[in-house]
């Protein structure tokens, strides 16, 4: 009903990206996203979103920075940004020559993620809303099962249609935190963007 702040209806998209006609990279990426909005009672809005993605080699390996990474305010709130993907632990040395274990995130060939949200007005006259959400998703490698790496989180926050753009302050709590990486108590996420 209103693209910038919908309360009913659907937004559906399908994109196909091909790299290989120029430059060094060669790959094909397919992404589909579906977002549905439904008014439950007065200004209480329920919405659900699901995104599926797949990236395919075209004659050479897909560059690591083109693969799928989840985590953070735009996908899995409560998980550190760009850490939900296949990874490996490797040994390196610090400046004193001591061995240090570090996690290298390799990116996924596929992604599945989505969320369900309830939004409601807090200060309607100035455009401040509250949100409660549940997120789920994973980015995984070709040949592996997404059900084994699926992560979930829940939380809430505040959104404000400010004069300088949409502001989001949200707190996500991981349901199945990864040992040594995620804070069981959750994490704050903040962003301010443009309307377009």
């Amino acid at each position: 009903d209103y693209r910038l702040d919908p309360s009913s209806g659907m937004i559906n998209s399908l994109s196909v990206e091909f790299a290989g006609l120029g430059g060094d990279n060669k790959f094909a990426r397919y992404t589909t996203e579906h977002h549905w909005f439904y008014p439950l009672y007065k200004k209480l809005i329920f919405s659900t979103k699901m995104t599926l993605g797949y990236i395919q080699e075209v004659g050479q390996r897909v560059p690591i920075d083109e693969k799928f990474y989840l985590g953070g305010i735009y996908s899995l709130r409560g998980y550190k940004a760009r850490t939900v993907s296949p990874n490996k632990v490797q040994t390196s040395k610090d400046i004193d020559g001591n061995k240090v274990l570090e996690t290298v995130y390799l990116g996924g060939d596929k992604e599945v993620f989505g969320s369900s949200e309830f939004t409601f007005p807090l200060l309607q006259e100035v455009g401040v809303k509250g949100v409660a959400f549940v997120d789920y998703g994973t980015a995984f490698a070709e040949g592996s099962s997404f059900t084994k790496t699926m992560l979930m989180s829940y939380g809430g926050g505040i959104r404000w249609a400010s004069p300088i753009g949409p502001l989001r302050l949200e707190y996500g709590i991981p349901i199945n935190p990864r040992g040594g990486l995620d804070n069981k108590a959750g994490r704050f996420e903040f962003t301010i963007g443009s309307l377009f």
Side-chain angles (χ1 to χ4, degrees):
D1 56 348
Y2 178 50
R3 180 69 174 86
L4 299 178
D5 187 19
S7 60
S8 66
M10 293 183 292
I11 301 171
N12 299 294
S13 68
L14 171 66
S15 68
V16 178
E17 177 185 356
F18 179 76
L21 299 178
D24 297 329
N25 295 338
K26 291 182 169 55
F27 62 86
R29 182 186 354 246
Y30 312 93
T31 308
T32 182
E33 185 173 298
H34 306 279
H35 209 151
W36 179 65
F37 301 87
Y38 185 77
L40 293 176
Y41 177 74
K42 293 186 178 180
K43 298 287 184 178
L44 175 64
I45 309 299
F46 171 75
S47 66
T48 186
K49 170 178 146 181
M50 183 172 197
T51 301
L52 303 172
Y54 175 66
I55 192 163
Q56 175 182 20
E57 293 181 0
V58 179
Q60 67 183 45
R61 296 182 71 178
V62 176
I64 194 169
D65 59 329
E66 296 292 347
K67 293 191 171 189
F68 296 111
Y69 299 86
L70 299 179
I73 196 162
Y74 294 110
S75 57
L76 285 170
R77 291 162 281 193
Y79 295 92
K80 191 174 178 183
R82 296 182 57 84
T83 63
V84 179
S85 82
N87 60 68
K88 67 178 180 179
V89 177
Q90 67 183 26
T91 305
S92 63
K93 292 187 178 182
D94 63 15
I95 57 173
D96 297 324
N98 300 317
K99 288 185 178 180
V100 178
L101 292 177
E102 64 177 347
T103 303
V104 178
Y105 299 97
L106 305 173
D109 302 310
K110 301 175 186 176
E111 70 174 356
V112 175
F113 76 91
S115 66
S116 294
E117 294 184 345
F118 293 95
T119 56
F120 47 90
L122 292 176
L123 299 170
Q124 191 168 351
E125 60 278 359
V126 292
V128 177
K129 292 183 176 184
V131 60
F133 63 83
V134 173
D135 293 340
Y136 62 90
T138 188
F140 56 105
E142 188 73 41
S144 63
S145 169
F146 74 92
T147 56
K148 294 179 181 176
T149 57
M150 184 69 69
L151 298 175
M152 296 182 70
S153 65
Y154 67 95
I158 295 172
R159 294 180 182 168
W160 177 36
S162 77
I164 57 172
L167 181 144
R168 292 171 60 181
L169 177 62
E170 297 170 5
Y171 191 82
I173 301 169
I175 293 175
N176 44 347
R178 299 162 295 173
L181 186 59
D182 301 315
N183 184 347
K184 293 180 182 179
R187 61 185 295 127
F188 275 108
E189 308 278 358
F190 172 79
T191 185
I192 188 161
S194 64
L195 292 173
F196 300 101

